[in-house]
Amino acid sequence: MEDVTPSEIAKSLDVSPKTLRAWLRSERAVGHPVLDGHEHGAHYRFTRVEAAQLIAEYRAWGGRGRAPGQPYMGTTKAPPAPGAARRHAPAQPEVAPRSVGPPALSADPFDSLELSGAPGHRITEPWMGEDVLTLADLLQVDLHAVVVGINPSPVSVAAGHYYQGPVGQRFLGRLVTSGVLDLSGEGFEDDRACAQGVGFTDAVKRPTARAAGLRAGELEHGRELLEARLAAIDVPRVIFTFKKAATTLLGDFPGHGVLPGRSLGGAEVFVMPGPMERTDRVERALRDLHAWWVR
């Protein structure tokens, strides 16, 4: 399926591409889940599902970006802009404005989600002194590789399976394109992947709506636990879904792809390109992934 460009989205909204890109940049800056992780200077490309979501949200918000600290509201109608006048509203006496802070973020990452009837791989386990609802590690001996994410998304935990959100689905599609997985057939993708020798885990077990919601020290805390889990099954390869987890655990490095001279739990490492990386760079990275996988 072809990607949708910002110009096509702008045409659907009857706004200029420049206006839309300004909105995308403002939403990326405050952690929009579709835009989070987009690399500065890279071209925006979206699946049709993502494009439809962005169009609905732009209309709901009237093209206004969120202020720092304002929670993500999806397609919920945005509150009126400060100072905006209501049409035909009756005159009201002036009252001194109350001093209020930004809307509080819900402490429950599943606040607006419905948990699936079948739990799948959803479990409750301890993480840094608290019990969290998360996804079980899909690890076993004789795996060819393990996919390592930053932390589970609430959408995936609610479904009971890994990578069920739009960004996760795009990532799984890239594994198919590169020849790592064949996800045709029935059932959830993570179950089919495990049957083909590819397991799943995360550096941090506590789910958040986006990586920016992680607490200080969580990724560092997860490294020792993650290395022990990988070493216990003697897995030969690790595929990082996002660069942020890889740099936190392995140190800074340029670009993405195979990391020569670096390992995690004794496994070779490949870092996937960002979800909004330029198409030509993604294609090159997937060719590299294929060559690394079949050698």
Side-chain angles (χ1 to χ4, degrees):
M1 181 179 293
E2 291 185 0
D3 289 336
V4 180
T5 66
S7 295
E8 292 172 308
I9 295 176
K11 185 176 180 180
S12 298
L13 291 166
D14 196 24
V15 299
S16 72
K18 183 178 180 180
T19 297
L20 178 68
R21 286 189 175 89
W23 180 76
L24 293 174
R25 285 194 298 270
S26 68
E27 284 293 288
R28 177 173 63 84
V30 292
H32 190 292
V34 171
L35 305 170
D36 192 25
H38 178 270
E39 295 190 11
H40 179 72
H43 293 295
Y44 289 106
R45 296 279 180 175
F46 306 105
T47 65
R48 298 210 170 270
V49 172
E50 292 167 344
Q53 176 183 342
L54 293 170
I55 288 170
E57 291 173 10
Y58 186 98
R59 287 172 175 158
W61 282 74
R64 289 187 287 109
R66 288 172 292 147
Q70 191 172 7
Y72 172 66
M73 296 175 64
T75 55
T76 302
K77 186 178 175 70
R86 296 180 183 175
R87 290 186 179 181
H88 312 300
Q92 298 289 334
E94 289 189 8
V95 212
R98 289 187 301 167
S99 176
V100 295
L105 291 171
S106 170
D108 182 3
F110 309 104
D111 189 41
S112 60
L113 297 172
E114 182 177 350
L115 302 186
S116 62
H121 304 297
R122 186 173 61 242
I123 61 168
T124 299
E125 66 175 50
W127 172 258
M128 297 185 72
E130 65 176 306
D131 288 338
V132 298
L133 192 64
T134 186
L135 291 174
D137 296 325
L138 301 187
L139 302 177
Q140 60 193 43
V141 295
D142 298 328
L143 288 174
H144 304 310
V146 171
V147 171
V148 176
I150 297 177
N151 67 327
S153 75
V155 170
S156 296
V157 177
H161 294 272
Y162 283 84
Y163 299 108
Q164 294 305 294
V167 174
Q169 290 288 294
R170 172 172 286 196
F171 162 70
L172 291 173
R174 289 176 175 179
L175 294 187
V176 171
T177 300
S178 63
V180 171
L181 292 176
D182 176 3
L183 295 181
S184 59
E186 299 294 325
F188 282 94
E189 298 91 343
D190 52 4
D191 291 330
R192 282 177 277 163
C194 282
Q196 296 170 48
V198 176
F200 294 85
T201 188
D202 289 289
V204 172
K205 298 304 293 182
R206 186 175 67 88
T208 59
R210 55 184 184 271
L214 294 180
R215 299 166 186 157
E218 283 193 286
L219 276 167
E220 292 77 3
H221 173 77
R223 173 175 182 153
E224 184 177 346
L225 302 176
L226 178 60
E227 285 192 312
R229 294 199 299 271
L230 296 177
I233 61 173
D234 194 27
V235 65
R237 293 170 175 167
V238 163
I239 300 173
F240 275 101
T241 317
F242 300 107
K243 186 174 181 177
K244 179 177 179 179
T247 55
T248 301
L249 302 180
L250 301 173
D252 288 334
F253 54 86
H256 45 257
V258 180
L259 298 188
R262 305 200 195 189
S263 64
L264 187 68
E268 295 180 21
V269 174
F270 189 98
V271 180
M272 296 293 285
M276 301 302 168
E277 181 59 273
R278 273 175 33 187
T279 301
D280 60 324
R281 292 178 180 172
V282 170
E283 291 173 349
R284 183 164 59 250
L286 296 187
R287 288 195 296 270
D288 292 343
L289 176 59
H290 175 78
W292 179 70
W293 188 254
V294 301
R295 74 163 194 259

